[in-house]
Amino acid sequence: MLRVVVLVSGGGTNLQAIIDAVAAGTISNVELVGVISNNKTVKSLERAKVAGIPAVSVSPKDYENRAVFNEAFLQKVDEFQPDLIVLAGFLVAIPEAMVCKYSNRIINIHPSLIPSFCGVGYYGLKVHEKALERGVKVTGATVHFVTEGMDEGPIIAQKAVAVLEDDTAESLQLRVMEQAEWHLLPQAIDDIANGRIAVVDGSVKRIHQ
C-alpha cells in the first residue's frame, strides 16, 4: 500500500475527490495516512477527520522565521512516513530540503495548462483571472511532479476545459475543478500507486502493464 500524505490550504475539494476515490476503489493500493494544512480553521481539516484521517496544522505564523517553520514542517511530514506527498491546493512554498528528500515523490495539481499561467504569483483564483484577461479560449489543469522550480516539474497529465464567453473567474474556477482537477489528481495517484508511471531522465513515462 502506498502511504499518501495530502497537503492543503483551503476548503479541500481536491482532498475530498481523493477521499471519495479511495472509498470508491477508483484509487487502489493507497492508504491516506495524513492531512497537513497551513491553516488551522479550513474545512479541509474537517473533511479529513470525518474520513478518519489524522489531520494537523503547521503554520508559518507560529514560527519565528521561515527556516524554523521549514524544519518543523518537514519533521511533521516525516512523522507520517509517506511514500507520496500530494499538494492539493497547498499555497506554501515547499522547502528545498523536502523536495530533495522526496524527489519524484511529490505531486501537485495546478489549475492551468502548464506552461501557461503558472509560476510565482499564479495560484488560486488569480490563475483564472489572468486566463480571462488574456482572452484564452481553452484552459484546464495539470498534475506534475514537484521540483525546485515553481510549477516546473515533469508533467504527469493535463486536461483541457473550454472557456465560455460569460465566464467569471469564479465560474471558470469551478468548471476547471469539476471537469479536470477532480479527475486528474485521483487518476495520477492511482497510476503512481499501481506502477503505471515513472520519471525517466526528467520526463514522465507511462508503463504499459
Side-chain angles (χ1 to χ4, degrees):
M1 296 284 281
L2 195 78
R3 295 175 58 85
V4 174
V5 166
V6 184
L7 309 185
V8 292
S9 290
T13 55
N14 274 304
L15 169 63
Q16 191 64 55
I18 295 167
I19 291 171
D20 292 346
V22 170
T26 308
I27 296 176
S28 62
N29 197 32
V30 159
E31 180 184 4
L32 299 177
V33 297
V35 170
I36 302 175
S37 176
N38 60 301
N39 293 316
K40 295 185 176 76
T41 59
V42 290
K43 187 175 181 180
S44 50
L45 293 175
E46 183 61 30
R47 292 181 191 272
K49 291 173 182 176
V50 168
I53 305 167
V56 297
S57 174
V58 184
S59 173
K61 298 177 182 178
D62 295 334
Y63 297 88
E64 58 189 272
N65 56 53
R66 186 50 67 102
V68 176
F69 162 75
N70 285 345
E71 184 176 344
F73 179 49
L74 179 53
Q75 182 179 348
K76 181 56 65 176
V77 170
D78 288 344
E79 288 176 7
F80 287 111
Q81 299 180 318
D83 301 308
L84 180 69
I85 300 168
V86 178
L87 312 186
F90 190 61
L91 304 182
V92 176
I94 302 301
E96 184 175 342
M98 183 182 297
V99 174
C100 292
K101 183 170 185 175
Y102 292 96
S103 177
N104 296 331
R105 291 193 287 157
I106 308 175
I107 66 173
N108 178 55
I109 181 80
H110 183 76
S112 77
L113 296 174
I114 292 173
S116 297
F117 310 111
C118 66
V120 178
Y122 285 92
Y123 61 89
L125 204 60
K126 292 184 179 181
V127 176
H128 307 291
E129 291 171 346
K130 293 297 184 181
L132 291 176
E133 287 176 14
R134 186 65 181 86
V136 298
K137 306 307 179 185
V138 177
T139 185
T142 303
V143 180
H144 64 93
F145 282 102
V146 173
T147 58
E148 288 85 354
M150 184 72 70
D151 298 328
E152 294 180 0
I155 291 174
I156 299 170
Q158 293 182 304
K159 184 174 175 59
V161 175
V163 179
L164 305 182
E165 289 186 5
D166 61 349
D167 263 328
T168 63
E170 289 79 8
S171 67
L172 184 57
Q173 180 184 53
L174 179 60
R175 191 179 318 106
V176 169
M177 288 192 294
E178 290 177 339
Q179 295 185 9
E181 294 182 42
W182 299 345
H183 303 280
L184 283 179
L185 192 53
Q187 183 62 60
I189 296 169
D190 186 63
D191 285 343
I192 293 169
N194 290 284
R196 299 189 198 100
I197 63 174
V199 179
V200 180
D201 296 329
S203 298
V204 173
K205 304 296 182 183
R206 293 206 165 263
I207 300 168
H208 299 288
Q209 297 180 335

